[in-house]
Amino acid sequence: MEFVFLIFLPIVAAIFVPFLYMKLKGIHTGWFVLFVPVALFIYYIRFVKMTMDGGHLVSELQWIPSLGISFISYIDGLSLLFTLLITGIGALVVLYSIFYLDKTREKLGNFYVYLLLFMSAMLGVVQSDNVISLYLFWELTSISSFLLIGYWYTRDRSRFGALKSMMITVFGGLMMLGGFVLLGIMGDTFSIRELIDQSSGFVGQSFFTIALVLILLGAFTKSAQFPFYIWLPDAMEAPTPVSAYLHSATMVKAGLYLVARFTPIFAASELWIWLVTGIGLLTLFWGSFFAVKQTDLKAILAFSTVSQLGLIMSLLGAGAITYHTNEAIFGFAMFAAIFHLINHATFKGSLFMIAGIVDHETGTRDIRKLGGLMSIMPISFTVAFIGSMSMAGLPPFNGFLSKEMFLQSMLALKHFELYNFATWGILFPVIAWIASVFTFIYSFYFVFRTFTGQGKLEALPKKPHEAPIGMLVSPVFLASLVVGIFFIPNLVAKWFIKPAVMAIQPTLYSHPSEIEVHVAAWHGFDSVELWLTVGVVAVGGILYSTLSKWQKLYDIQPNGLSLNHFYDSTMLFGERGMNRISRFYMTGLIRTYLLMMFAFVAAGTIATLFGKNAFVVDASSFAPVNTYGVLTAVILLLAVYMVLVAKTRLSAIIALGAVGYSVALFFVIYKAPDLALTQLVIETVSVALFLLAFQHLPKLHSHGETKRNKLANAIIALSVGVTVTLVALSAHSQKLIPSISQYYKDTVYSEAAGGNIVNVILVDYRGFDTLFEIAVLSIAGIGVLSLIRLRLARKESTNENK
């Protein structure tokens, strides 16, 4: 089976969702949608054994083969891991949404169409071997996430968050596309596998560094790295199922996937290692520091997501050092990155769902209004506790294991002697430890400020109670994975982590079994990371217990110095600037618009012709000038002059017809009867239409034009005429390839069975083009007719009111 088609299964299913929503209102639409991610997960889980053995599968669907662009589904350890996260977490999110979204009040038809569209886009991103198709799916994730974040479009904050996320991620996507194009130029291929095979020859090329930076811009914007993270907190205006799906396991992980997939190509560059590791650590610290400031449950989780994404990013950068040294610890870092990626999907997905449950059952997410919910919502508290303790890096939860590996990897950086890491590397474990302290604080802050302490139940918008069983199934399942992975980490490593690491570092390993990493919770009292964790707990505990005394320090920061203020100011400045420009040229006169367009085209074309030395005239191929041609030219010029000086519409129409018939005479004189016949028909029909509409045409008047305006019009008209003439002469004089006209002459009768070459070109050779032109004209005609009818109806309504 060509499993590449499975990427499009969610999109195909989305076609039927609106009909199911409209026809079967008694059944929640989510039950039908749930089948899609479940079926895909069951199908893809079969490939785990294949990737454990170091294998891969390829399935191709041709798209634009002439340009080397195809839909190629490439399944290896890395893409399979992400595919299972997309479909597995997707199934849990759909199940959760069935109980979270009311089938009578919500537009579920829209919601699930957007969700399935996003699912297909993510599958395409992680499975595409062709960078152009990867970019297509990448931007589709931005569009579908825009629709999901703005699902509650009547809310200002939802629309603002949706637009902000799309602006930043689409900007990054465009930068990334530039990097892909440069890679394609360097490697003469768009295949990621083929680019990896040639990567050793890229480092010295002039485009290499530019491509590296552009691709990282795409990854950093999508995975909310500093300073592009600002879209993620505003995206929390989306429904909680969207946040649990996009912002814990899928969309924000796309940038991490991109960095991991392109590590074999760029790891040889010290810039890659410094940028990925440094920006990752800065994001980790920044997100964890500002998470403590937040008072909205989902905002806390948003900043915590930013920090956790930074942690994984820094590990991917540290893991890239493996290409420069044989020290096993840096291969250990890549292993830790994939391990924490899995762990983060489990504990953060469950926490987002719990935040949604608290909001759903109490009517608020403001942590200042919450507290004392533990006895009322014991199951929710248990899940929140497990997820938060895992996020804080405490045992016996999976986050503890990957956090210990993270600290160990950061400690190793200060011993790496290349690229000044031995000097600056000491900062990496320091920043990592400080960020871990704040991670501990916001984890405790989230769970204990919500569920313990003095309750304010009477002040809540709704009387709180435990969520229904259906809404708890998904977070409870994820919480059980958080605990379960802690006890079987090496089994998870064998099935998923090692095959993924091998896919990231294909030139270093030939089989997953060669990755000699053993995960253990206990390394003895002499392990430095253990004492770092003890320090995190001690300092974090003290700071959390005194939080009320120092949390107000966050208010010192002026709003004008924030990145959000910079974004808002930039958007406002752009909007005002564009309004000024629009007011300058949007005069309401079509003549003004035509003048601007003609002036730009003439100036640009003439500058290009002479700037590129493209103006060449070869008179040897010109047709001889005869008496008839001269007389016709004189008639043509006189007719044009009559059009310019005409005082009435009728005389202008007659003179314009004379211009058209004169051109037809030129075609006859120079032996182009087919063109002449076509020109005569068109000119006759045009003149007839002008005359039929004569009584509806406005009278000619000068519109108060001055001599200066007329001079400007004359200059632009002359420029356009000169431009067209120069282009025609140059094109005729230097043909780079043989003219297609001979092919038309040879085949117009034998192949197309026609006599008039112009007609055959229009209806046969360019049949689809003509068909679409007719369709466009028909649509325009319908639009004009609708406007006329609306105007008539408004007049009738006005008369009746009188």
Side-chain angles (χ1 to χ4, degrees), residues 141-213:
T141 64
S142 295
I143 294 170
S144 52
S145 66
F146 166 80
L147 295 171
L148 285 167
I149 295 168
Y151 170 69
W152 285 322
Y153 56 85
T154 56
R155 304 178 183 179
D156 292 339
R157 297 300 304 173
S158 293
R159 296 196 303 272
F160 177 80
L163 180 61
K164 191 173 186 178
S165 69
M166 189 171 72
M167 291 293 291
I168 294 175
T169 56
V170 167
F171 160 76
L174 288 173
M175 297 299 102
M176 183 186 72
L177 176 62
F180 286 166
V181 171
L182 293 179
L183 275 181
I185 292 172
M186 288 189 290
D188 195 28
T189 179
F190 289 128
S191 169
I192 296 176
R193 288 173 295 156
E194 294 175 9
L195 289 170
I196 291 174
D197 292 339
Q198 303 176 50
S199 59
S200 58
F202 290 162
V203 179
Q205 296 193 33
S206 56
F207 290 147
F208 180 77
T209 301
I210 301 174
L212 182 155
V213 172

Coordinates of all heavy atoms in Angstrom, one line a residue, residues 141-213:
T141 N 0.2 24.1 8.5 CA 0.1 24.1 10.0 C -0.2 25.5 10.5 O -1.0 25.7 11.4 CB 1.3 23.5 10.7 OG1 2.4 24.4 10.4 CG2 1.6 22.1 10.2
S142 N 0.4 26.5 9.9 CA 0.2 27.9 10.3 C -1.2 28.4 10.0 O -1.8 29.0 10.9 CB 1.2 28.8 9.6 OG 2.6 28.5 10.0
I143 N -1.7 28.0 8.9 CA -3.1 28.4 8.5 C -4.1 27.7 9.3 O -5.0 28.3 9.9 CB -3.3 28.1 7.0 CG1 -2.4 29.0 6.1 CG2 -4.8 28.3 6.6 CD1 -2.4 28.6 4.7
S144 N -3.9 26.4 9.5 CA -4.9 25.6 10.3 C -4.9 26.0 11.8 O -5.9 26.1 12.5 CB -4.7 24.1 10.1 OG -3.4 23.7 10.4
S145 N -3.7 26.3 12.3 CA -3.6 26.7 13.7 C -4.2 28.1 13.9 O -4.8 28.4 14.9 CB -2.1 26.7 14.1 OG -1.3 27.7 13.4
F146 N -4.0 29.0 12.8 CA -4.7 30.3 12.9 C -6.2 30.1 13.0 O -6.9 30.8 13.8 CB -4.4 31.0 11.6 CG -5.2 32.2 11.3 CD1 -5.0 33.4 12.0 CD2 -6.3 32.1 10.4 CE1 -5.8 34.5 11.7 CE2 -7.1 33.2 10.2 CZ -6.9 34.4 10.9
L147 N -6.8 29.1 12.3 CA -8.2 28.9 12.4 C -8.6 28.3 13.7 O -9.7 28.6 14.3 CB -8.6 27.9 11.2 CG -8.5 28.5 9.8 CD1 -8.7 27.4 8.8 CD2 -9.4 29.6 9.5
L148 N -7.8 27.4 14.2 CA -8.1 26.8 15.5 C -7.9 27.8 16.7 O -8.8 27.8 17.6 CB -7.1 25.6 15.8 CG -7.4 24.4 15.0 CD1 -6.3 23.4 15.0 CD2 -8.7 23.7 15.4
I149 N -6.9 28.6 16.7 CA -6.7 29.6 17.7 C -7.8 30.6 17.7 O -8.3 31.1 18.7 CB -5.3 30.3 17.6 CG1 -4.2 29.2 17.9 CG2 -5.2 31.4 18.6 CD1 -2.8 29.7 17.5
G150 N -8.2 31.0 16.5 CA -9.3 32.0 16.3 C -10.7 31.3 16.2 O -11.6 32.0 15.7
Y151 N -10.8 30.1 16.8 CA -12.1 29.4 16.7 C -13.2 30.2 17.3 O -14.3 30.3 16.7 CB -12.0 28.0 17.3 CG -13.3 27.3 17.5 CD1 -14.0 26.8 16.4 CD2 -13.8 27.1 18.8 CE1 -15.2 26.1 16.6 CE2 -15.0 26.4 18.9 CZ -15.7 25.9 17.8 OH -16.9 25.3 18.0
W152 N -13.0 30.8 18.5 CA -14.0 31.6 19.1 C -13.8 33.1 18.5 O -13.3 34.0 19.2 CB -13.9 31.6 20.6 CG -14.4 30.4 21.2 CD1 -15.6 29.7 20.8 CD2 -13.9 29.6 22.3 NE1 -15.8 28.6 21.6 CE2 -14.8 28.5 22.5 CE3 -12.8 29.8 23.1 CZ2 -14.6 27.6 23.5 CZ3 -12.6 28.8 24.1 CH2 -13.5 27.8 24.3
Y153 N -14.1 33.2 17.3 CA -13.8 34.4 16.5 C -14.5 35.7 17.0 O -14.1 36.8 16.6 CB -14.0 34.2 15.0 CG -15.4 33.8 14.6 CD1 -16.3 34.8 14.4 CD2 -15.7 32.5 14.5 CE1 -17.6 34.4 14.1 CE2 -17.0 32.1 14.1 CZ -17.9 33.1 13.9 OH -19.2 32.7 13.6
T154 N -15.5 35.5 17.8 CA -16.2 36.7 18.3 C -15.5 37.4 19.4 O -15.8 38.5 19.8 CB -17.6 36.3 18.8 OG1 -17.5 35.3 19.8 CG2 -18.5 35.8 17.6
R155 N -14.5 36.7 19.9 CA -13.7 37.3 21.0 C -12.4 38.0 20.4 O -11.7 37.5 19.6 CB -13.2 36.2 22.0 CG -14.3 35.4 22.6 CD -13.8 34.3 23.5 NE -14.8 33.4 24.0 CZ -14.6 32.4 24.8 NH1 -13.4 32.1 25.1 NH2 -15.6 31.6 25.2
D156 N -12.2 39.3 20.9 CA -11.1 40.1 20.3 C -9.8 39.4 20.6 O -8.9 39.4 19.7 CB -11.1 41.5 21.0 CG -12.3 42.3 20.6 OD1 -12.9 42.0 19.5 OD2 -12.7 43.3 21.3
R157 N -9.6 38.8 21.8 CA -8.3 38.2 22.1 C -8.1 37.0 21.3 O -6.9 36.7 21.0 CB -8.3 37.8 23.6 CG -8.4 39.0 24.6 CD -7.3 40.0 24.4 NE -6.0 39.3 24.6 CZ -4.8 39.9 24.3 NH1 -4.8 41.2 23.9 NH2 -3.7 39.3 24.5
S158 N -9.1 36.2 20.9 CA -8.9 35.1 20.0 C -8.4 35.5 18.7 O -7.5 34.9 18.1 CB -10.2 34.3 19.9 OG -10.6 33.7 21.2
R159 N -9.1 36.5 18.1 CA -8.6 37.0 16.8 C -7.2 37.6 16.8 O -6.4 37.3 15.9 CB -9.6 38.1 16.3 CG -11.0 37.6 16.0 CD -11.8 38.5 15.2 NE -11.9 39.9 15.8 CZ -12.8 40.3 16.6 NH1 -13.7 39.4 17.1 NH2 -12.7 41.5 17.1
F160 N -6.9 38.3 17.9 CA -5.6 38.9 18.0 C -4.5 37.8 18.2 O -3.5 37.8 17.5 CB -5.5 39.8 19.3 CG -4.2 40.4 19.6 CD1 -3.7 41.4 18.9 CD2 -3.4 39.8 20.5 CE1 -2.5 42.0 19.1 CE2 -2.1 40.3 20.8 CZ -1.7 41.4 20.1
G161 N -4.8 36.8 19.0 CA -3.8 35.7 19.2 C -3.6 34.9 17.9 O -2.5 34.5 17.6
A162 N -4.7 34.6 17.2 CA -4.6 33.9 15.9 C -3.8 34.6 14.9 O -2.9 34.1 14.2 CB -6.0 33.6 15.4
L163 N -4.0 35.9 14.8 CA -3.3 36.7 13.8 C -1.8 36.8 14.2 O -0.9 36.7 13.4 CB -3.9 38.1 13.7 CG -3.2 39.1 12.8 CD1 -3.2 38.6 11.3 CD2 -3.8 40.5 12.9
K164 N -1.6 37.0 15.5 CA -0.2 37.1 16.0 C 0.6 35.8 15.7 O 1.8 35.9 15.2 CB -0.2 37.4 17.5 CG 1.2 37.8 18.0 CD 1.0 38.2 19.5 CE 2.2 38.8 20.1 NZ 2.0 39.3 21.5
S165 N 0.0 34.7 16.0 CA 0.7 33.4 15.7 C 1.0 33.2 14.3 O 2.1 32.8 13.9 CB -0.1 32.3 16.3 OG -1.3 32.1 15.5
M166 N 0.0 33.6 13.4 CA 0.2 33.4 12.0 C 1.3 34.3 11.4 O 2.1 33.9 10.6 CB -1.1 33.6 11.2 CG -1.0 33.1 9.8 SD -2.5 33.1 8.9 CE -2.9 34.8 8.7
M167 N 1.3 35.6 11.9 CA 2.2 36.5 11.4 C 3.7 36.1 11.7 O 4.5 36.1 10.8 CB 2.0 37.9 12.0 CG 0.7 38.6 11.6 SD 0.7 39.1 9.8 CE 2.0 40.4 9.9
I168 N 3.9 35.6 12.9 CA 5.2 35.3 13.3 C 5.7 33.9 12.7 O 6.8 33.8 12.1 CB 5.3 35.2 14.8 CG1 5.1 36.6 15.4 CG2 6.7 34.6 15.3 CD1 5.1 36.6 16.9
T169 N 4.8 32.9 12.7 CA 5.2 31.6 12.1 C 5.2 31.6 10.6 O 6.1 31.0 10.0 CB 4.2 30.5 12.6 OG1 2.8 30.9 12.2 CG2 4.2 30.4 14.1
V170 N 4.4 32.4 10.0 CA 4.5 32.5 8.5 C 5.7 33.2 8.1 O 6.4 32.9 7.1 CB 3.2 33.2 7.9 CG1 3.4 33.6 6.4 CG2 2.0 32.3 8.0
F171 N 6.1 34.3 8.8 CA 7.4 35.0 8.6 C 8.5 34.0 8.6 O 9.4 33.9 7.8 CB 7.6 36.1 9.6 CG 9.0 36.5 9.7 CD1 9.6 37.3 8.8 CD2 9.8 36.1 10.8 CE1 11.0 37.7 8.9 CE2 11.1 36.5 11.0 CZ 11.7 37.3 10.0
G172 N 8.5 33.2 9.7 CA 9.6 32.1 9.8 C 9.5 31.1 8.7 O 10.6 30.7 8.2
G173 N 8.3 30.8 8.3 CA 8.2 29.8 7.2 C 8.8 30.3 5.9 O 9.4 29.6 5.2
L174 N 8.6 31.6 5.6 CA 9.1 32.2 4.4 C 10.6 32.2 4.5 O 11.3 32.0 3.5 CB 8.6 33.6 4.2 CG 7.1 33.7 3.8 CD1 6.6 35.1 3.8 CD2 6.9 33.1 2.4
M175 N 11.2 32.5 5.6 CA 12.6 32.5 5.8 C 13.2 31.1 5.6 O 14.2 30.9 4.9 CB 13.0 33.0 7.2 CG 12.7 34.4 7.5 SD 13.5 35.6 6.4 CE 12.1 36.0 5.3
M176 N 12.5 30.1 6.1 CA 12.8 28.7 6.0 C 12.8 28.3 4.5 O 13.7 27.6 4.0 CB 11.9 27.9 6.8 CG 12.2 26.4 6.8 SD 11.0 25.4 7.6 CE 9.6 25.5 6.4
L177 N 11.8 28.8 3.8 CA 11.7 28.4 2.3 C 13.0 28.9 1.6 O 13.5 28.2 0.7 CB 10.5 29.0 1.7 CG 10.3 28.9 0.2 CD1 10.2 27.4 -0.1 CD2 9.1 29.6 -0.3
G178 N 13.4 30.1 2.0 CA 14.6 30.6 1.4 C 15.8 29.7 1.6 O 16.7 29.5 0.7
G179 N 15.9 29.2 2.9 CA 17.0 28.3 3.2 C 16.9 27.0 2.4 O 17.9 26.5 2.0
F180 N 15.7 26.5 2.2 CA 15.5 25.3 1.5 C 15.9 25.5 0.0 O 16.5 24.6 -0.6 CB 14.0 24.9 1.5 CG 13.5 24.3 2.8 CD1 12.2 24.1 3.1 CD2 14.5 23.9 3.8 CE1 11.8 23.6 4.3 CE2 14.1 23.3 5.0 CZ 12.7 23.2 5.2
V181 N 15.6 26.6 -0.6 CA 15.9 26.9 -1.9 C 17.5 27.0 -2.1 O 18.0 26.4 -3.0 CB 15.3 28.2 -2.4 CG1 15.9 28.6 -3.8 CG2 13.8 28.1 -2.5
L182 N 18.1 27.6 -1.1 CA 19.6 27.6 -1.2 C 20.2 26.3 -1.0 O 21.2 25.9 -1.7 CB 20.1 28.6 -0.1 CG 19.8 30.1 -0.2 CD1 20.3 30.8 1.0 CD2 20.3 30.6 -1.5
L183 N 19.6 25.4 -0.2 CA 20.1 24.0 -0.1 C 19.9 23.3 -1.4 O 20.8 22.5 -1.8 CB 19.3 23.3 1.1 CG 19.9 23.5 2.5 CD1 19.0 22.6 3.4 CD2 21.3 23.0 2.6
G184 N 18.7 23.5 -2.0 CA 18.5 22.9 -3.3 C 19.5 23.3 -4.4 O 19.9 22.5 -5.2
I185 N 19.9 24.6 -4.3 CA 20.9 25.1 -5.3 C 22.3 24.4 -5.0 O 23.0 24.0 -5.9 CB 21.0 26.6 -5.2 CG1 19.7 27.3 -5.7 CG2 22.2 27.1 -6.0 CD1 19.7 28.7 -5.4
M186 N 22.6 24.3 -3.7 CA 23.9 23.7 -3.3 C 24.0 22.2 -3.7 O 25.0 21.7 -4.1 CB 24.2 24.0 -1.9 CG 24.5 25.4 -1.5 SD 25.1 25.5 0.2 CE 23.6 25.2 1.1
G187 N 22.9 21.5 -3.4 CA 22.9 20.1 -3.6 C 22.3 19.6 -4.9 O 22.3 18.4 -5.1
D188 N 21.7 20.5 -5.6 CA 21.0 20.2 -6.9 C 19.9 19.1 -6.6 O 19.7 18.2 -7.4 CB 22.0 19.7 -7.9 CG 21.3 19.6 -9.3 OD1 20.4 20.4 -9.6 OD2 21.8 18.8 -10.1
T189 N 19.3 19.2 -5.5 CA 18.2 18.2 -5.1 C 17.4 18.8 -4.0 O 17.9 19.6 -3.2 CB 18.7 16.9 -4.7 OG1 17.6 16.0 -4.4 CG2 19.6 16.9 -3.5
F190 N 16.1 18.4 -3.9 CA 15.2 18.9 -2.8 C 15.0 17.7 -1.8 O 14.2 17.9 -0.9 CB 13.9 19.4 -3.3 CG 14.0 20.7 -4.0 CD1 13.5 20.9 -5.3 CD2 14.6 21.8 -3.4 CE1 13.5 22.1 -6.0 CE2 14.7 23.0 -4.1 CZ 14.2 23.2 -5.3
S191 N 15.7 16.6 -2.0 CA 15.5 15.4 -1.1 C 16.4 15.6 0.1 O 17.6 15.8 0.0 CB 15.8 14.1 -1.9 OG 15.9 13.1 -0.9
I192 N 15.8 15.5 1.3 CA 16.5 15.6 2.5 C 17.6 14.5 2.6 O 18.8 14.8 3.0 CB 15.6 15.6 3.7 CG1 14.6 16.8 3.7 CG2 16.4 15.6 5.1 CD1 13.6 16.8 4.8
R193 N 17.2 13.3 2.3 CA 18.2 12.2 2.3 C 19.4 12.4 1.4 O 20.6 12.2 1.8 CB 17.5 10.9 1.9 CG 16.5 10.3 3.0 CD 15.8 9.2 2.4 NE 14.9 9.5 1.3 CZ 14.5 8.7 0.3 NH1 14.9 7.5 0.3 NH2 13.8 9.2 -0.7
E194 N 19.2 12.9 0.2 CA 20.2 13.2 -0.7 C 21.1 14.4 -0.2 O 22.3 14.4 -0.4 CB 19.7 13.4 -2.1 CG 19.0 12.2 -2.7 CD 18.4 12.5 -4.0 OE1 18.6 13.6 -4.6 OE2 17.6 11.6 -4.6
L195 N 20.4 15.4 0.4 CA 21.2 16.5 0.9 C 22.1 16.1 2.0 O 23.2 16.5 2.2 CB 20.2 17.6 1.4 CG 19.5 18.4 0.3 CD1 18.4 19.2 1.0 CD2 20.4 19.2 -0.5
I196 N 21.6 15.2 2.9 CA 22.4 14.6 4.0 C 23.7 13.9 3.4 O 24.8 14.0 3.9 CB 21.6 13.7 4.9 CG1 20.6 14.5 5.7 CG2 22.5 12.9 5.9 CD1 19.6 13.7 6.5
D197 N 23.5 13.1 2.4 CA 24.6 12.4 1.7 C 25.6 13.4 1.2 O 26.8 13.0 1.1 CB 24.0 11.5 0.6 CG 23.2 10.4 1.1 OD1 23.3 10.0 2.3 OD2 22.3 9.9 0.4
Q198 N 25.2 14.6 0.8 CA 26.2 15.5 0.2 C 26.7 16.6 1.2 O 27.4 17.4 0.9 CB 25.5 16.3 -1.0 CG 25.0 15.4 -2.1 CD 24.3 16.2 -3.1 OE1 24.8 17.2 -3.6 NE2 23.1 15.9 -3.5
S199 N 26.2 16.5 2.5 CA 26.4 17.6 3.4 C 27.9 17.9 3.7 O 28.2 19.0 4.0 CB 25.7 17.2 4.8 OG 26.3 16.0 5.3
S200 N 28.8 16.9 3.5 CA 30.2 17.2 3.8 C 30.8 18.2 2.9 O 31.8 18.9 3.2 CB 31.0 15.9 3.7 OG 30.8 15.3 2.4
G201 N 30.1 18.4 1.7 CA 30.7 19.4 0.7 C 30.0 20.7 0.8 O 30.3 21.6 0.0
F202 N 29.1 20.9 1.8 CA 28.3 22.2 1.8 C 29.1 23.3 2.6 O 28.8 24.5 2.4 CB 27.0 22.0 2.5 CG 26.0 21.2 1.6 CD1 24.9 20.6 2.1 CD2 26.2 21.0 0.2 CE1 24.0 19.9 1.3 CE2 25.4 20.3 -0.6 CZ 24.2 19.7 0.0
V203 N 29.9 22.9 3.6 CA 30.4 23.8 4.6 C 31.1 25.0 4.0 O 30.9 26.1 4.4 CB 31.3 23.1 5.6 CG1 31.8 24.1 6.7 CG2 30.5 22.0 6.3
G204 N 31.9 24.8 3.0 CA 32.7 25.8 2.4 C 31.9 26.7 1.4 O 32.5 27.7 0.9
Q205 N 30.7 26.3 1.1 CA 30.0 27.1 0.0 C 29.4 28.4 0.6 O 29.1 28.5 1.8 CB 28.8 26.2 -0.5 CG 29.3 25.0 -1.2 CD 28.2 24.3 -2.1 OE1 27.4 25.0 -2.6 NE2 28.3 23.0 -2.2
S206 N 29.3 29.4 -0.3 CA 28.9 30.7 0.1 C 27.5 30.8 0.7 O 27.2 31.6 1.5 CB 29.0 31.7 -1.1 OG 28.2 31.2 -2.2
F207 N 26.6 29.9 0.2 CA 25.2 29.9 0.7 C 25.0 29.2 2.0 O 23.9 29.2 2.5 CB 24.3 29.3 -0.4 CG 24.1 30.2 -1.7 CD1 24.0 29.6 -2.9 CD2 24.2 31.5 -1.6 CE1 23.9 30.4 -4.0 CE2 24.1 32.3 -2.7 CZ 23.9 31.7 -4.0
F208 N 26.0 28.5 2.4 CA 25.8 27.5 3.6 C 25.3 28.3 4.8 O 24.3 27.9 5.4 CB 27.0 26.8 3.8 CG 26.9 25.8 5.0 CD1 26.3 24.6 4.8 CD2 27.5 26.1 6.2 CE1 26.2 23.7 5.9 CE2 27.4 25.2 7.3 CZ 26.7 24.0 7.1
T209 N 26.0 29.3 5.2 CA 25.7 30.0 6.5 C 24.3 30.7 6.3 O 23.5 30.7 7.3 CB 26.7 31.0 6.8 OG1 28.0 30.4 7.0 CG2 26.4 31.8 8.1
I210 N 24.0 31.3 5.2 CA 22.7 31.9 5.0 C 21.6 30.9 5.1 O 20.6 31.2 5.8 CB 22.7 32.6 3.6 CG1 23.8 33.6 3.5 CG2 21.3 33.3 3.4 CD1 23.9 34.3 2.1
A211 N 21.7 29.8 4.4 CA 20.7 28.7 4.5 C 20.5 28.3 6.0 O 19.4 28.0 6.4 CB 21.1 27.5 3.6
L212 N 21.6 28.1 6.7 CA 21.6 27.7 8.1 C 20.7 28.7 8.9 O 19.8 28.3 9.7 CB 23.0 27.6 8.7 CG 23.2 27.2 10.1 CD1 24.6 26.6 10.2 CD2 23.1 28.3 11.1
V213 N 21.0 30.0 8.8 CA 20.3 31.0 9.6 C 18.8 31.0 9.2 O 17.9 31.1 10.1 CB 21.0 32.4 9.4 CG1 20.1 33.4 10.1 CG2 22.4 32.4 10.0

